[in-house]
């Protein structure tokens, strides 16, 4: 082997060694950061006792609280949907959102995003009239909405939210 090639081989070997050493010294077990983050940054909130269905009412990640979708059921009516159409269901749905968000340490004025699912998009305007009652002008959460072919318990509307803590 001639001398210039030998120098290139040594130089490349040195670079490879340095890169390997850097990676080895900075490597962490992949399970450790995930487990640490889950233990310290994620909290499954059950303000009303253990869930009766396979989801948490809310999950806190850092300073954000993710609420599960709420529908217009009334706790005093054994979980049945309230009567009265889209307006009554929207009002009860947002009362349920308010109840959960306050129970986990936030408030309606800290809701930053809502997703609205509706069984019939023709009821959009009537739902919006009630929705506006729960959020002050100038502080409306970001929102998306879509029609659904079916919601839990035959609901007309379901709303899920994200709130700041």
């Amino acid at each position: 082997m001639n001398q210039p090639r030998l120098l290139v081989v040594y130089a490349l070997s040195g670079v490879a060694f340095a890169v390997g050493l850097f990676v080895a010294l900075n490597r962490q077990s992949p399970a450790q950061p995930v487990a640490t983050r889950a233990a310290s940054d994620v909290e499954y909130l059950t303000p009303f006792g253990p869930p009766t269905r396979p989801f948490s009412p809310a999950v806190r990640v850092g300073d954000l609280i993710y609420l599960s979708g709420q529908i217009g059921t009334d706790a005093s009516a054994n979980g049945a949907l309230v009567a009265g159409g889209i307006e009554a269901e929207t009002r009860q749905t947002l009362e349920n959102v308010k109840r959960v968000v306050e129970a986990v340490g936030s408030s309606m004025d800290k809701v930053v995003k809502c997703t609205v699912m509706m069984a019939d998009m023709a009821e959009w305007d009537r739902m919006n009239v009630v929705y506006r009652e729960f959020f002050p002008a100038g502080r409306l959460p970001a929102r998306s909405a879509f029609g659904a072919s079916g919601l839990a318990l035959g609901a007309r509307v379901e709303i899920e939210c994200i709130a700041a803590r």
Side-chain angles (χ1 to χ4, degrees):
M1 195 183 253
N2 64 27
Q3 196 171 13
R5 279 193 204 178
L6 189 57
L7 289 175
V8 169
V9 169
Y10 284 138
L12 290 176
S13 296
V15 169
F17 175 78
V19 168
L21 182 61
F22 176 81
V23 169
L25 291 174
N26 290 292
R27 182 178 301 173
Q28 296 178 7
S29 167
Q32 184 180 0
V34 173
T36 301
R37 172 165 284 176
S40 64
D41 291 346
V42 178
E43 185 179 3
Y44 298 89
L45 306 171
T46 56
F48 310 114
T52 58
R53 295 196 169 94
F55 55 85
S56 297
V59 176
R60 185 192 53 77
V61 180
D63 286 333
L64 291 178
I65 300 168
Y66 297 81
L67 272 65
S68 291
Q70 298 292 315
I71 58 175
T73 55
D74 184 353
S76 65
N78 297 321
L81 291 168
V82 296
I86 190 65
E87 293 90 346
E89 274 194 50
T90 301
R91 184 167 285 105
Q92 185 62 53
T93 297
L94 287 164
E95 288 292 343
N96 293 345
V97 167
K98 181 179 178 185
R99 182 173 160 246
V100 174
V101 80
E102 289 176 353
V104 298
S106 190
S107 62
M108 291 299 279
D109 65 333
K110 292 183 180 180
V111 172
V112 296
K113 170 75 168 87
C114 291
T115 302
V116 178
M117 295 150 273
M118 298 185 67
D120 184 353
M121 291 301 287
E123 296 175 324
W124 171 259
D125 290 332
R126 292 170 36 217
M127 181 278 300
N128 274 324
V129 169
V130 176
Y131 180 91
R132 288 177 190 274
E133 295 173 13
F134 285 82
F135 301 103
R139 294 188 54 91
L140 296 169
R143 188 176 85 180
S144 23
F146 54 90
S149 63
L151 297 172
L153 304 180
R156 308 293 311 145
V157 62
E158 180 172 346
I159 301 175
E160 65 179 28
C161 300
I162 301 171
R165 192 159 66 151

